[in-house]
Amino acid sequence: QIVESGGGLVQSGGSLKLSCVVSGRQLEWYVLGWFRQAPGKKREGVSCINGDDGSRYDADSAKDRFTISRDPATNTVYLQMNNLKPEDTGVYYCAAVYRGASVSALCEDRIEPNYWGRGTQVTVSS
């Protein structure tokens, strides 16, 4: 249902663009988000987007560095990550909840997604 790609190893200050391809229904049916989990740490929401109207929510860790976007034509959600830091290291997951949920509720982990991808590893070296 959800497949992420685009992770990798990058030096501090570098950039990566993650992709999340959603199969099945069109993006407008979902609120989608990127989450990450570092070893030994709790999962955290990074950026979320309404698949219908494109409204967004960014966690403090993402503001000014990460940009979430969507492409309805390819049913893909992206996360452009710039100025990466070692503390951004972790497994990045894409998740979707059926429309009607708020982007902030999804990103703040106040609601459980209906679907999760398997994740893509991002490693930022210092």
Side-chain angles (χ1 to χ4, degrees), residues 41-59:
K41 292 191 176 180
K42 185 182 174 183
R43 181 185 73 200
E44 62 172 340
V46 177
S47 293
C48 295
I49 189 166
N50 186 307
D52 185 19
D53 63 18
S55 57
R56 297 178 293 184
Y57 175 93
D58 294 319

Side-chain angles (χ1 to χ4, degrees), residues 43-86:
R43 181 185 73 200
E44 62 172 340
V46 177
S47 293
C48 295
I49 189 166
N50 186 307
D52 185 19
D53 63 18
S55 57
R56 297 178 293 184
Y57 175 93
D58 294 319
D60 288 343
S61 59
K63 288 177 181 175
D64 300 325
R65 297 189 302 127
F66 296 178
T67 303
I68 191 170
S69 62
R70 79 202 198 286
D71 181 359
T74 59
N75 243 36
T76 304
V77 174
Y78 299 100
L79 185 67
Q80 176 67 48
M81 304 188 293
N82 298 325
N83 191 22
L84 283 160
K85 305 174 182 180

Side-chain angles (χ1 to χ4, degrees), residues 4 33-37 91-95 116-120:
E4 306 99 331
W34 285 98
F35 295 77
R36 68 186 183 190
Q37 188 164 23
V91 180
Y92 283 68
Y93 298 92
C94 183
W116 286 97
R118 293 191 172 185
T120 185

